[in-house]
Structures are given as C-alpha cells and as structure tokens.
Amino acid sequence: MNTKKRFTIKTIAACLLAAGALGAAQAQTKLKWAHVYETSEPFHKYSVWAGEEIKKRTNGKYEVQVFPASSLGKEADINQGLTLGTVDIILSGASFAGRTSPPLAVSYFPFIFRDAEHQLKYAKSDVFKELAKGYDDKSGNHITALTYYGARHVTSSAAKPVAKPEDMKGLKIRVPDAPAYLAFPKSLGANPTPIAFAEVYLALQNGTVDAQENPLPTIEAKKFFEVQKNISLTGHIVDSLLTIVSGSTWGKLSADEKKIFTEVMQEAAEKTGREIIASEARLVDEFRKKGNNVITVDKNAFREAVLKNTKPTDHGYRQQDYDRILAIK
C-alpha cells in the first residue's frame, strides 16, 4: 500500500473516530437531581451514588448532577420544577406529592407505622404501588422509590420540655405545611407554624417558635440541638421520602433505561434507610453527651391522645388505605 493511500485511510479513520466521539458527546444527556438536605446526610450521599451508577449502567449516556441543600429552591419549588422542566429528579416528602394526589400522603398520618421495618415493608407493598400510581396518573411524573427518613421527635426550648401530651398545649411548633404534619400538634392543642426547612434554625434561635419536630439524624445535620435543649422521643411520625422523576424525563427513557433508573433508585433508597436506622440508634447517647435533655415519653399516651382527637378521614385520606397499611406484617 503506498504512502498516499495509508494517509487517506488514517485520515478517514481519524474522522470517523472524531465523529463517533462527537456523536457520543451529543447523545449524552445531563439530568438535574434536586433535594433540600445537607451534603453531610445520607440522602445526598446516595443521590450522588445513584447518579454515578446511572452513568455507569447506561454507559455514560446520562450524567446526573445533584443539587443539595435547597440550592435549586425549597421543597415546594423543586416539586413544581418537575412540571416546569427545571429539574429532572427530586427527593421529596409524600406530603408534597400529596398535594397532587392526597391519598398518597396517608403514610404521614401520626402513628400509622409501628417502626422503621414496618415502613420498609410498606415500600414494597401493593398498597404503596397503588398509591404511587395514583400520583403518577394525576401528576404525569413517576415515583421510583421510597426512602426511610426517620422517626420524627419533638425538640423544644429549655423552658418548655415535652414529657406528656398535655405539655404540647399552647406550644408554638414548626411543622412542614402539610395536613398530616399539622394533625399531630393540632390534635394536642399546640400551635403549628409552617416555616420553610432552610429557615428553621434561625426561627428556633430567635424564638419565632418554641419547638420543631424531625428525626434524630436531621436534628444533628441541621444542628437544631444547638438551639433546642430538649429532645422528646415521641416518634409520632415514621417519615419517608419519595424519589420522583419528571414525566418528560421518564417518557424519554427506553424500557431498559427505566429498569436501570428504578433499580438504582431503589438500591439508593435501601442504602440510605439502613444508614439512617443505624444513626438513630447511636444519636440518643450522643445528644445526651452534648448536654441535651433527652426525654423518653410514653408513646402510647401520645398515640391515644392524638387518635382521640383526629382520624385519617379528617385530613382527606381513605380509611381503607390507612387500614391496609396498619395490617402490613
């Protein structure tokens, strides 16, 4: 083969490689994954892990960038972003998804879950699949996974410890702005005050509210223990997050890609939940060592007081969904 021919073949090969690389670059799709949690929390850690896994399992076709700590907006904003097309994937509470499909938020009703394991079984149950489909059908978005978030406990200022249901009366407590969260304080005579998650620390610090309620890992990550002396182990809501993919993004995925996204997101949810459960087990002692007053309460007394004054149907939830979740073994 003469030199001229060799040069021509090499040139063509180089052009083909360059065109292939350009095609691959053009085919790559960048996705935005948003949440409101700190980079130190498992929710962020495993969102990043999921993004890397999606990239790996789709041979680099999808590049997922995770935006933590409300950097793309508050929880209501990122939920709206799914419809507006400003985000592709979010982690969000079912309370926000419940604004579109109210039955889904029954899982936030106080004392519906016995413990973390009960909720993890619910995540794999037919009732969850049916409720998630109801949201999908109404919103056009798609729920891929449910993550254990933690058991919510009340923290309060030094002057207002909560040891029994009666101590909640008149307490000005920050809660997320959703019916199921409001049910607990309202049923006990407290004054619920919805405040955006990113603004809670300052509200506690300056006395805008006396109290708030969140799981122990969140109390640690958001440093609420610094401005709240008392931590009462009420465990009134066993909380969760949903992984939601926007309808426009989900609709562009092939069947194989949908399978990959679902498997990765469910694996991430499982890993996150197990880490949260482990951290809950150690944090009680850690808070005591920090000088917080950790109060062990009679949870049955709180449960009875709440259920005496409110029921699922008062908040737009279906009794049959509530009963089916209670029955999960």
Side-chain angles (χ1 to χ4, degrees):
M1 187 182 288
N2 64 37
T3 307
K4 190 175 181 182
K5 281 189 175 178
R6 278 200 300 269
F7 176 76
T8 304
I9 290 167
K10 283 182 179 177
T11 304
I12 292 169
C15 289
L16 287 171
L17 283 170
L22 181 62
Q26 288 174 336
Q28 187 185 68
T29 302
K30 293 186 184 297
L31 301 177
K32 292 181 178 180
W33 180 318
H35 64 75
V36 299
Y37 305 100
E38 300 301 315
T39 54
S40 60
E41 294 183 82
F43 312 111
H44 179 70
K45 172 181 170 182
Y46 289 109
S47 295
V48 172
W49 175 87
E52 290 168 351
E53 283 296 303
I54 286 169
K55 183 176 181 179
K56 190 189 305 178
R57 298 187 200 183
T58 61
N59 298 315
K61 182 176 177 182
Y62 294 95
E63 172 121 11
V64 180
Q65 186 177 1
V66 181
F67 294 85
S70 305
S71 53
L72 288 188
K74 298 169 186 173
E75 200 153 2
D77 300 325
I78 62 174
N79 272 272
Q80 191 177 23
L82 291 172
T83 303
L84 296 176
T86 53
V87 295
D88 300 286
I89 305 160
I90 67 169
L91 284 183
S92 178
S95 58
F96 287 88
R99 293 175 181 179
T100 302
S101 181
L104 182 64
V106 69
S107 63
Y108 279 67
F109 193 77
F111 301 108
I112 191 169
F113 292 112
R114 297 180 294 277
D115 51 28
E117 294 303 324
H118 183 192
Q119 190 195 76
L120 292 172
K121 287 175 182 172
Y122 162 71
K124 296 175 181 175
S125 71
D126 288 341
V127 63
F128 172 64
K129 288 172 188 168
E130 289 166 22
L131 291 170
K133 186 178 184 303
Y135 167 82
D136 290 3
D137 291 345
K138 281 200 170 182
S139 69
N141 303 318
H142 180 66
I143 293 170
T144 55
L146 182 145
T147 301
Y148 174 71
Y149 182 71
R152 298 179 82 95
H153 306 291
V154 173
T155 72
S156 58
S157 60
K160 300 196 174 182
V162 174
K164 54 190 185 301
E166 294 77 22
D167 295 334
M168 291 286 292
K169 193 168 179 62
L171 190 73
K172 197 169 185 183
I173 181 169
R174 180 270 171 183
V175 292
D177 187 12
Y181 289 122
L182 296 165
F184 173 72
K186 277 185 173 178
S187 65
L188 298 176
N191 297 320
T193 306
I195 295 172
F197 197 40
E199 299 161 14
V200 177
Y201 184 96
L202 186 61
L204 296 170
Q205 189 178 46
N206 64 24
T208 302
V209 289
D210 307 309
Q212 68 85 46
E213 46 81 67
N214 258 299
L216 298 179
T218 307
I219 293 166
E220 179 189 45
K222 288 290 187 181
K223 302 192 183 303
F224 296 151
F225 65 88
E226 294 178 345
V227 286
Q228 297 272 270
K229 178 70 174 175
N230 301 298
I231 301 173
S232 304
L233 302 178
T234 51
H236 51 280
I237 294 175
V238 177
D239 217 340
S240 62
L241 297 178
L242 300 170
T243 310
I244 310 175
V245 183
S246 77
S248 60
T249 300
W250 188 252
K252 292 171 187 171
L253 302 180
S254 69
D256 285 345
E257 288 166 351
K258 286 176 179 175
K259 186 170 183 288
I260 288 168
F261 274 57
T262 301
E263 287 175 353
V264 167
M265 290 168 176
Q266 288 181 355
E267 286 172 38
E270 180 74 19
K271 290 174 185 290
T272 303
R274 291 299 167 192
E275 194 162 310
I276 293 292
I277 291 166
S279 64
E280 285 180 312
R282 64 173 169 80
L283 280 170
V284 170
D285 285 340
E286 288 188 18
F287 284 129
R288 286 192 172 119
K289 286 174 186 172
K290 290 177 191 292
N292 292 96
N293 178 31
V294 181
I295 304 167
T296 301
V297 305
D298 180 353
K299 277 180 67 174
N300 281 329
F302 277 86
R303 181 186 291 108
E304 287 169 12
V306 168
L307 296 179
K308 179 181 174 185
N309 295 316
T310 191
K311 56 186 184 293
T313 50
D314 293 338
H315 304 278
Y317 308 132
R318 299 182 302 218
Q319 188 67 40
Q320 66 265 32
D321 296 331
Y322 177 80
D323 292 341
R324 286 175 71 194
I325 292 172
L326 285 183
I328 294 170
K329 300 297 181 190

